[in-house]
Each structure stands twice: as C-alpha cells, then as structure tokens.
Amino acid sequence: MSLLCKRCIIVPGNGCTNAKKSNWYGRAQEELTKTGLFKEVIVENMPDPHVARESVWLPFLQKLGADEDAVLIGHSSGAEATMRLLEKQKLRGAVLVSACHTDLGDENERASGYYDRPWEWTAIAENAGFILQWHSTDDPFIPISEARHVAESLGEKCEYIEHEKSSHFFKWDVFGNELLEKLMMKLQPAESVEALVVEADAGTSSSCSASF
C-alpha cells in the first residue's frame, strides 16, 4: 500500500508525562501505523507537560515535523495547541478531540497562553487541508457549548462529530474506529476505505489524570 501522508503527530493533553501509556495515544499510534496511511506516527512526551505553554509546545511540534505533509491529532490542550499552530502553519489535516476556546476560569489553563487573544478562525480553517472534531455532551471538563463554538467558528472546513456518553475521550474504544474510518476517507481513495476499516480492530487503553 502506498503511503499518502508523511507523518501523523499525536498531541496529548496536559498532565501526561508518559504519553505512550496515557489515554489512547499509544494505541492510536499502533492502529494508525497499521493503516499504512503514514510513513511515521509520532507520540512524544511533551516538554512542559503540566502547563502546556504555547511558547514551548508550538516550537516543539514544528521540530517534530508539523508541516504541510503532516496530520496532527490533538486531544484537549493538544487540540488548542493544534489550533494555534494552524494560525501560522499549514497542515495536511487536523483532528481536534475535546477542544475548547476559553480557559474556563482555570488558572493553569490561563497560564498556557492559548487564550490571551482572539482566535484566528479563518486562518485556522484555511491552513488545514481538513478538520475533524470530536466532543461529548457529558464531558466533565469542557462544556459542550465550547466545542460547538469551535465547530461553528471553523465553518464548513470542520466536520464535527458529537457523542453523548464518551466523557473526555479518555478511551480508544469510544471513538477509535470512527477516527480511523474518517482519516481513511480523507486520505485514501474511496474504494480502499472499506478494506482498511476491517483491518483496524478496537481495543482498550490506559488513561492519565490530566484534566485537559
């Protein structure tokens, strides 16, 4: 199978000091590698993991290869980092899982620097080849109104998928196969999608204590 995209970078939420063992990140790396869509699937421990400062995370993502031939999958604070990166950097595509657009009154989130100025929604949408967004109505940390605002602000470029009982998307089971199928549809010819989905099985995953 020919590779259609150079790399995928999974951007974790804050608080995850061992990214590959946190939430679904390690499992996603395994399953995405199986699809053959990417030359490499990257999951790295982020610097400044607890505050997730924009000034630290964005340069690190660019060092990992976040460019026009990369898809970023950002979870929680990783989703905000992905959106801010898209304001200046073109990406092949972006996946936003449990995203928000305000600091929700949280001092640690405010310290990250993502929320101290207006979001450049038009630039974010224009710089992404595609945008997939997931959120759940029962997310205990981020109100559904936050996610809906992000989706509405990004406009037609954003394909928004809303769940009812997936919490903060800590587990691969709640959306993993759906994620794989959507990425295959974005990156693969239509006739190849069904065969690839069959190859990707769902499984279990560990979680970390990150709130975002």
Side-chain angles (χ1 to χ4, degrees):
M1 182 187 306
S2 61
L3 295 161
L4 297 181
C5 190
K6 185 178 294 184
R7 68 181 58 86
C8 176
I9 302 172
I10 298 170
V11 192
N14 69 13
C16 297
T17 53
N18 188 333
K20 289 187 179 182
K21 292 185 177 181
S22 296
N23 300 314
W24 41 266
Y25 312 140
R27 179 63 187 278
Q29 183 182 38
E30 295 174 3
E31 297 300 336
L32 286 165
T33 299
K34 289 179 186 178
T35 68
L37 293 172
F38 307 97
K39 182 178 180 181
E40 59 180 341
V41 181
I42 299 171
V43 180
E44 291 286 347
N45 294 332
M46 300 296 289
D48 188 31
H50 296 291
V51 181
R53 291 177 179 86
E54 177 186 0
S55 60
V56 177
W57 277 35
L58 266 58
F60 185 73
L61 290 175
Q62 291 178 312
K63 184 177 180 179
L64 290 178
D67 58 22
E68 295 182 20
D69 203 12
V71 172
L72 265 61
I73 302 177
H75 179 218
S76 206
S77 288
E80 282 77 80
T82 299
M83 290 193 293
R84 284 300 187 192
L85 182 66
L86 274 168
E87 290 180 340
K88 306 297 182 184
Q89 172 66 56
K90 289 185 180 296
L91 296 174
R92 178 73 177 271
V95 177
L96 310 175
V97 184
S98 302
C100 62
H101 67 99
T102 74
D103 62 22
L104 302 172
D106 183 273
E107 184 176 349
N108 191 70
E109 290 300 313
R110 190 176 305 116
S112 70
Y114 297 119
Y115 315 100
D116 60 3
R117 62 196 187 280
W119 292 89
E120 298 178 30
W121 299 115
T122 299
I124 294 170
E126 289 180 348
N127 283 332
F130 63 85
I131 299 173
L132 299 170
Q133 182 188 354
W134 272 267
H135 209 87
S136 185
T137 56
D138 67 340
D139 191 309
F141 306 118
I142 303 177
I144 194 65
S145 59
E146 290 274 321
R148 290 172 178 170
H149 179 85
V150 171
E152 181 179 358
S153 298
L154 291 173
E156 295 181 357
K157 179 62 70 71
C158 181
E159 182 177 350
Y160 177 64
I161 303 102
E162 188 170 289
H163 288 200
E164 292 184 352
K165 297 180 179 180
S166 294
S167 185
H168 197 57
F169 290 88
F170 287 125
K171 296 182 178 181
W172 176 258
D173 289 1
V174 300
F175 83 122
N177 275 357
E178 190 176 25
L179 169 64
L180 294 178
E181 183 174 0
K182 293 289 186 182
L183 286 174
M184 292 168 191
M185 292 175 66
K186 296 295 184 182
L187 296 170
Q188 272 285 78
E191 61 269 18
S192 303
V193 173
E194 184 176 353
L196 284 170
V197 173
V198 171
E199 294 176 5
D201 296 325
T204 57
S205 172
S206 62
S207 64
C208 71
S209 59
S211 61
F212 274 150

